Amino acid sequence: MTLIKSISGIRGTIGGHTGDTLNPFDIVKFTTAYATFIRKRGVSNSNKIVVGRDGRISGEMVKNVVCGTLMGMGYDVINIGYATTPTTELAVTMSGADGGIIITASHNPRQWNALKLLNEQGEFLTKADGNEVLAIAEKEDFEYADVDHVGKYIEDFTFDERHIQSVLDLKLVDAELIKKAGFKVCADTINSVGGIILPKLFKALGVEYTVLNGECNGDFSHNPEPIEKNLGGIMDAMKSGKYDLGIVVDPDVDRLAFITEKGDMFGEEYTLVSVSDYVLSHTTGNTVSNLSSTRALRDVTERHGGKYTAAAVGEVNVTTKMKEVNAVIGGEGNGGVIYPESHYGRDALVGIALFLTNLAQKKCTVSELRATYPEYKIAKNRIDLTPGTDVDAILEDVKEAYKNEQINDIDGVKIDFADKWVHLRKSNTEPIIRVYSEAATMEEADELGRSIMKMVYDKIGK
């Protein structure tokens, strides 16, 4: 059983002992700490906090505890029900709330859940703000509202439609052109909220669609991380030749992957690359992705005359850097597209609409579009950690061993070689070290990653 506290929120497995898992007692503690922080922050005074959740089995329980706790802290709760992460982010600003809590463990397996914490701008808390929430939680000196100031409970289930309308209103989304193209898509929504909102989006765009794993029950039909080894079902469906595009989202619909008309992976890394290429062809500007993302975004950005900048891993780190360099688009190589014209959050709906507009304008197949981008391969490996593992010492050893290469240590250790790179970092969401490596071929990328892993295993005696 695990409880992880990081910039990605409070995340853990359901059940078990207090302090070790995401259980009702700890949900109350961290929700109270968050509400205390928001009150202290005092940036907005609407006295409202938005709560949305994905389709996880534990979601109803967690939602009830969160909403009751916020009411006990004197906040009016706007429960928006089943909702994607980007929908909840937008709901905060659309309702003028002081903040929001998204109940989702993103791509983690079914036994996990999490509290993702938002500020009044509908954006994730910064590291400093998140640390303040954790410090408040540790003090456990909480003050709740008296009987005359208990918060109200409000339900508002209109935000799916409002989110979709905001996508349709984007200047670079051409719903009429998409409709004329007559696209047929197949989507895997992994038994969560994507099965509710994506059909609405497809109807609004005039797209003919089939949904796999569309029941929003949280009983995931396969591992929910949208990577190739988990997507055999939709890849096989695409090989039938019935569809122009395969679309895959994770349980909270902030990550997006595409499958070609031939049933091949477009590559989750190339979701951001392709959408950025389209945006940059119409908008002059810069881009940002995290250190673990493909060099292809840098290549495409420079081709359009812009400047590419790398940020530390984590959505808030990417959005902070995007604001610093005035990026017109950015995101993460795991399929997360952040388009400031909409909002500063990863949003699969925005990514889908921009991608389909680009495809309709180019009048080409998905595989033909993929062939226009620089070709890199990323190997994604992991080192499972045991309690007491000194990750910082491991990373220092790696830095020392490769001190003659170009090193970036703003987030773990990234070693840049002339024609390849490898990045090691402790995960924000799981007790592991992620080892990502990129080269011209998958074999070379995997070999690079595994050579570093062998060095680490030798150090920790595995």
Side-chain angles (χ1 to χ4, degrees):
M1 297 298 186
T2 307
L3 184 67
I4 299 175
K5 295 167 278 188
S6 74
I7 61 169
S8 295
I10 313 301
R11 184 178 303 234
T13 51
I14 296 295
H17 296 282
T18 57
D20 293 329
T21 63
L22 195 68
N23 54 75
F25 181 87
D26 287 305
I27 294 167
V28 169
K29 180 172 76 169
F30 289 111
T31 302
T32 301
Y34 167 72
T36 302
F37 165 79
I38 291 295
R39 185 81 70 194
K40 179 182 176 183
R41 181 178 172 88
V43 175
S44 173
N45 293 297
S46 73
N47 206 52
K48 298 182 291 188
I49 292 179
V50 171
V51 176
R53 75 177 183 95
D54 71 11
R56 289 174 181 272
I57 295 168
S58 59
E60 183 74 8
M61 179 274 288
V62 178
K63 180 263 295 181
N64 288 338
V65 176
V66 167
C67 290
T69 302
L70 292 173
M71 292 167 67
M73 287 295 293
Y75 275 100
D76 295 340
V77 174
I78 304 176
N79 172 29
I80 66 172
Y82 286 122
T84 74
T85 284
T87 304
T88 310
E89 292 168 344
L90 286 166
V92 171
T93 55
M94 287 177 175
S95 61
D98 293 349
I101 296 179
I102 311 164
I103 301 167
T104 174
S106 190
H107 64 275
N108 288 76
R110 67 200 290 275
Q111 68 268 30
W112 289 75
N113 215 326
L115 310 179
K116 291 186 176 182
L117 309 177
L118 304 174
N119 62 23
E120 76 285 349
Q121 295 174 316
E123 298 171 16
F124 290 130
L125 300 187
T126 64
K127 183 176 182 179
D129 289 344
N131 285 338
E132 186 172 347
V133 172
L134 297 180
I136 293 170
E138 291 308 309
K139 292 179 182 178
E140 295 190 28
D141 182 20
F142 305 138
E143 182 177 356
Y144 293 94
D146 62 35
V147 68
D148 293 316
H149 296 91
V150 171
K152 300 181 180 67
Y153 178 78
I154 304 160
E155 291 185 341
D156 187 342
F157 303 143
T158 65
F159 287 98
D160 274 4
E161 287 72 22
R162 293 165 73 176
H163 183 182
I164 290 168
Q165 188 57 53
S166 74
V167 173
L168 298 178
D169 289 341
L170 293 171
K171 292 179 181 178
L172 294 186
V173 171
D174 191 333
E176 285 302 313
L177 188 64
I178 293 171
K179 184 176 182 180
K180 289 177 182 177
F183 291 123
K184 296 180 180 179
V185 304
C186 182
D188 183 347
T189 58
I190 192 57
N191 306 106
S192 192
V193 290
I196 297 173
I197 196 168
L198 288 195
K200 297 177 183 178
L201 175 68
F202 295 146
K203 289 176 183 176
L205 293 173
V207 172
E208 186 177 331
Y209 64 92
T210 296
V211 173
L212 307 179
N213 307 313
E215 186 179 359
C216 184
N217 58 15
D219 192 10
F220 304 143
S221 57
H222 56 75
N223 185 307
E225 187 168 12
I227 57 178
E228 183 170 2
K229 68 179 182 180
N230 301 328
L231 303 178
I234 187 170
M235 292 174 75
D236 286 342
M238 290 301 298
K239 289 173 184 175
S240 70
K242 297 178 181 178
Y243 307 104
D244 301 301
L245 174 66
I247 295 173
V248 183
V249 293
D250 64 340
D252 66 327
V253 199
D254 61 356
R255 289 176 60 175
L256 173 64
F258 296 122
I259 315 292
T260 75
E261 78 286 355
K262 298 177 180 179
D264 301 319
M265 288 294 295
F266 190 81
E268 74 223 56
E269 291 287 334
Y270 284 83
T271 298
L272 177 59
V273 173
S274 60
V275 173
S276 296
D277 183 46
Y278 169 61
V279 170
L280 291 169
S281 68
H282 294 273
T283 311
T284 302
N286 304 321
T287 66
V288 173
S289 66
N290 67 42
L291 286 170
S292 285
S293 300
T294 180
R295 280 183 178 175
L297 180 61
R298 179 201 65 183
D299 296 348
V300 166
T301 303
E302 291 176 352
R303 189 174 72 200
H304 285 287
K307 181 180 178 181
Y308 166 79
T309 305
V313 175
E315 183 172 319
V316 67
N317 296 321
V318 174
T319 56
T320 298
K321 184 61 68 176
M322 288 177 69
K323 293 173 184 177
E324 287 178 10
V325 303
N326 196 30
V328 296
I329 191 162
E332 300 188 280
N334 59 14
V337 174
I338 302 172
Y339 186 43
E341 282 291 314
S342 175
H343 63 119
Y344 278 103
R346 295 182 300 181
D347 192 330
L349 276 71
V350 169
I352 290 168
L354 291 172
F355 187 88
L356 287 174
T357 302
N358 187 29
L359 203 63
Q361 286 185 0
K362 285 188 165 61
K363 297 181 180 179
C364 65
T365 66
V366 176
S367 58
E368 288 170 343
L369 179 64
R370 176 64 178 80
T372 65
Y373 301 122
E375 186 63 38
Y376 297 103
K377 297 293 184 183
I378 289 186
K380 298 185 177 183
N381 293 298
R382 57 188 278 170
I383 299 171
D384 292 291
L385 301 177
T386 55
T389 302
D390 190 341
V391 177
D392 292 335
I394 290 171
L395 297 180
E396 282 300 319
D397 287 342
V398 173
K399 278 177 63 177
E400 178 62 24
Y402 290 91
K403 62 184 178 182
N404 294 326
E405 304 294 341
Q406 184 177 336
I407 301 288
N408 187 323
D409 61 0
I410 64 171
D411 183 12
V413 176
K414 184 174 184 179
I415 308 161
D416 264 303
F417 304 91
D419 57 350
K420 56 192 174 184
W421 58 259
V422 62
H423 184 207
L424 291 82
R425 57 174 291 275
K426 185 177 180 180
S427 171
N428 292 325
T429 59
E430 298 177 77
I432 62 174
I433 294 176
R434 297 192 186 278
V435 183
Y436 287 9
S437 48
E438 182 174 70
T441 67
M442 183 58 76
E443 291 75 19
E444 188 178 4
D446 196 50
E447 181 182 353
L448 174 60
R450 293 190 182 279
S451 68
I452 302 289
M453 292 169 67
K454 182 179 185 303
M455 174 184 160
V456 172
Y457 283 131
D458 288 343
K459 290 284 184 183
I460 62 179
K462 276 196 169 185

